[in-house]
Protein backbone atom coordinates (compact mmCIF):
# COMPACT_ATOMS: atom_id res chain seq x y z
CA UNK A 1 0.00 0.00 0.00
CA UNK A 2 1.18 3.54 -0.69
CA UNK A 3 0.77 6.10 2.08
CA UNK A 4 1.18 9.86 1.80
CA UNK A 5 2.82 11.50 4.79
CA UNK A 6 3.28 15.19 5.60
CA UNK A 7 6.39 16.28 7.46
CA UNK A 8 6.95 19.54 9.30
CA UNK A 9 9.42 21.12 11.71
CA UNK A 10 10.17 24.59 13.02
CA UNK A 11 12.54 24.02 15.94
CA UNK A 12 16.19 23.04 15.93
CA UNK A 13 17.14 19.86 17.77
CA UNK A 14 20.13 17.64 18.45
CA UNK A 15 19.78 16.55 14.79
CA UNK A 16 20.32 20.14 13.59
CA UNK A 17 18.04 22.61 11.84
CA UNK A 18 14.34 22.00 11.06
CA UNK A 19 15.41 20.76 7.60
CA UNK A 20 17.82 18.33 9.30
CA UNK A 21 14.90 17.12 11.44
CA UNK A 22 12.95 16.29 8.28
CA UNK A 23 15.93 14.40 6.86
CA UNK A 24 16.28 12.44 10.12
CA UNK A 25 12.56 11.58 10.14
CA UNK A 26 12.74 10.42 6.51
CA UNK A 27 15.71 8.23 7.38
CA UNK A 28 13.76 6.69 10.27
CA UNK A 29 10.64 6.22 8.12
CA UNK A 30 12.61 3.72 6.03
CA UNK A 31 12.06 1.25 8.89
CA UNK A 32 8.29 1.47 8.21
CA UNK A 33 8.48 0.74 4.48
CA UNK A 34 10.06 1.94 1.26
CA UNK A 35 10.25 5.73 0.86
CA UNK A 36 9.34 6.07 -2.83
CA UNK A 37 9.32 9.84 -3.24
CA UNK A 38 10.12 12.98 -1.25
CA UNK A 39 9.16 16.52 -2.17
CA UNK A 40 11.44 19.49 -1.93
CA UNK A 41 11.43 21.32 1.38
CA UNK A 42 9.05 24.30 1.60
CA UNK A 43 9.39 27.18 4.06
CA UNK A 44 5.93 28.22 5.25
CA UNK A 45 4.38 30.60 7.73
CA UNK A 46 2.70 29.10 10.81
CA UNK A 47 -1.08 28.65 10.79
CA UNK A 48 -3.31 29.07 13.83
CA UNK A 49 -0.69 29.65 16.51
CA UNK A 50 1.25 32.51 14.87
CA UNK A 51 3.85 33.42 17.52
CA UNK A 52 6.44 30.87 16.41
CA UNK A 53 9.16 30.40 13.77
CA UNK A 54 8.43 29.52 10.15
CA UNK A 55 8.05 25.83 9.32
CA UNK A 56 9.91 23.61 6.92
CA UNK A 57 7.38 21.26 5.30
CA UNK A 58 7.65 18.31 2.93
CA UNK A 59 5.68 15.29 1.80
CA UNK A 60 6.69 11.69 1.22
CA UNK A 61 5.19 8.61 -0.37
CA UNK A 62 5.85 5.42 1.55
CA UNK A 63 5.16 1.90 0.30
CA UNK A 64 4.34 -0.19 3.35
CA UNK A 65 2.87 -3.50 4.42
CA UNK A 66 1.80 -2.03 7.76
CA UNK A 67 -1.88 -1.43 8.45
CA UNK A 68 -2.96 2.21 8.77
CA UNK A 69 -2.92 2.06 12.59
CA UNK A 70 0.44 0.28 12.67
CA UNK A 71 1.83 2.98 10.39
CA UNK A 72 0.35 5.75 12.56
CA UNK A 73 1.91 4.18 15.66
CA UNK A 74 5.26 3.93 13.85
CA UNK A 75 5.11 7.62 12.88
CA UNK A 76 4.23 8.62 16.45
CA UNK A 77 7.12 6.49 17.74
CA UNK A 78 9.49 8.39 15.43
CA UNK A 79 8.13 11.72 16.72
CA UNK A 80 8.64 10.68 20.35
CA UNK A 81 12.14 9.30 19.68
CA UNK A 82 13.08 12.62 18.07
CA UNK A 83 11.88 14.59 21.10
CA UNK A 84 8.29 15.56 20.37
CA UNK A 85 5.82 15.40 23.25
CA UNK A 86 2.29 15.82 21.88
CA UNK A 87 0.77 15.81 25.38
CA UNK A 88 2.45 18.99 26.68
CA UNK A 89 2.86 21.10 23.54
CA UNK A 90 0.24 23.65 22.49
CA UNK A 91 -1.89 22.54 19.53
CA UNK A 92 -0.37 23.80 16.26
CA UNK A 93 2.55 25.14 18.29
CA UNK A 94 6.29 24.83 17.69
CA UNK A 95 7.64 21.34 17.21
CA UNK A 96 10.80 19.43 16.43
CA UNK A 97 8.94 17.09 14.11
CA UNK A 98 5.38 16.53 12.95
CA UNK A 99 4.45 13.46 10.90
CA UNK A 100 0.87 13.30 9.65
CA UNK A 101 -0.60 10.33 7.82
CA UNK A 102 -2.58 11.98 5.02
CA UNK A 103 -3.66 9.13 2.78
CA UNK A 104 -3.34 5.35 2.84
CA UNK A 105 -4.22 4.23 -0.66
CA UNK A 106 -7.92 4.87 -1.12
CA UNK A 107 -8.79 3.78 2.43
CA UNK A 108 -11.53 5.74 4.20
CA UNK A 109 -11.34 5.21 7.97
CA UNK A 110 -12.68 6.89 11.09
CA UNK A 111 -11.52 5.64 14.47
CA UNK A 112 -10.82 7.43 17.76
CA UNK A 113 -7.10 7.36 16.85
CA UNK A 114 -7.06 7.94 13.11
CA UNK A 115 -9.16 9.53 10.38
CA UNK A 116 -8.30 8.82 6.75
CA UNK A 117 -8.03 10.74 4.61
CA UNK A 118 -6.59 13.39 6.92
CA UNK A 119 -9.62 15.63 7.60
CA UNK A 120 -7.91 18.99 6.99
CA UNK A 121 -5.38 18.18 4.28
CA UNK A 122 -7.48 19.72 1.49
CA UNK A 123 -7.48 23.07 3.34
CA UNK A 124 -3.72 23.33 3.84
CA UNK A 125 -1.42 24.66 1.14
CA UNK A 126 1.59 23.67 3.27
CA UNK A 127 0.44 20.04 2.89
CA UNK A 128 -0.88 20.11 -0.68
CA UNK A 129 2.00 22.00 -2.34
CA UNK A 130 4.70 19.47 -1.36
CA UNK A 131 2.38 16.53 -2.06
CA UNK A 132 1.46 17.93 -5.49
CA UNK A 133 5.17 17.89 -6.40
CA UNK A 134 5.42 14.13 -6.01
CA UNK A 135 1.84 12.94 -6.58
CA UNK A 136 -0.23 15.57 -8.45
CA UNK A 137 -2.60 12.96 -9.89
CA UNK A 138 -3.22 11.16 -6.58
CA UNK A 139 -6.97 11.08 -5.91
CA UNK A 140 -8.50 12.18 -2.61
CA UNK A 141 -10.82 9.23 -1.87
CA UNK A 142 -13.76 11.24 -0.51
CA UNK A 143 -13.48 14.52 -2.42
CA UNK A 144 -12.77 12.73 -5.74
CA UNK A 145 -10.29 15.41 -6.80
CA UNK A 146 -6.59 15.14 -7.49
CA UNK A 147 -4.02 16.71 -5.21
CA UNK A 148 -3.24 19.23 -7.98
CA UNK A 149 -6.93 20.15 -8.26
CA UNK A 150 -7.24 20.57 -4.49
CA UNK A 151 -4.18 22.81 -4.44
CA UNK A 152 -5.43 24.98 -7.29
CA UNK A 153 -8.79 25.38 -5.52
CA UNK A 154 -7.16 27.06 -2.49
Amino acid sequence: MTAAIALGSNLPSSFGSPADNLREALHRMAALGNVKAVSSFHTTDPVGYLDQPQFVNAAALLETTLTPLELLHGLLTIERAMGRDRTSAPPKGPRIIDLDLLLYGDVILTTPELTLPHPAMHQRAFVLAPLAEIAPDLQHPTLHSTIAELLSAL
Side-chain angles (χ1 to χ4, degrees):
M1 188 64 72
T2 300
I5 298 162
L7 299 90
S9 175
N10 72 339
L11 293 177
S13 72
S14 61
F15 306 105
S17 69
D20 292 325
N21 293 338
L22 297 191
R23 284 188 275 278
E24 178 66 21
L26 287 162
H27 174 75
R28 291 173 183 231
M29 282 170 45
L32 305 177
N34 184 15
V35 178
K36 296 298 287 182
V38 179
S39 73
S40 63
F41 291 1
H42 295 241
T43 301
T44 61
D45 290 328
V47 174
Y49 184 88
L50 302 179
D51 188 21
Q52 61 180 323
Q54 286 187 310
F55 277 85
V56 178
N57 293 101
L61 297 179
L62 180 78
E63 282 187 2
T64 186
T65 58
L66 299 175
T67 67
L69 280 174
E70 289 169 338
L71 179 54
L72 174 68
H73 293 157
L75 295 172
L76 294 174
T77 297
I78 291 169
E79 285 186 353
R80 283 189 300 276
M82 289 182 65
R84 180 162 185 204
D85 179 3
R86 284 181 176 248
T87 60
S88 66
K92 300 193 185 336
R95 64 209 61 185
I96 290 171
I97 192 68
D98 184 27
L99 302 173
D100 286 335
L101 180 53
L102 303 172
L103 298 167
Y104 184 91
D106 59 1
V107 170
I108 299 168
L109 178 71
T110 302
T111 74
E113 267 188 290
L114 177 62
T115 301
L116 288 171
H118 188 287
M121 68 176 281
H122 64 285
Q123 302 166 330
R124 297 176 172 172
F126 66 87
V127 169
L128 294 175
L131 188 55
E133 274 184 33
I134 58 174
D137 297 325
L138 193 64
Q139 287 277 328
H140 189 289
T142 58
L143 298 177
H144 308 292
S145 297
T146 67
I147 299 304
E149 291 167 341
L150 293 171
L151 179 60
S152 70
L154 288 182

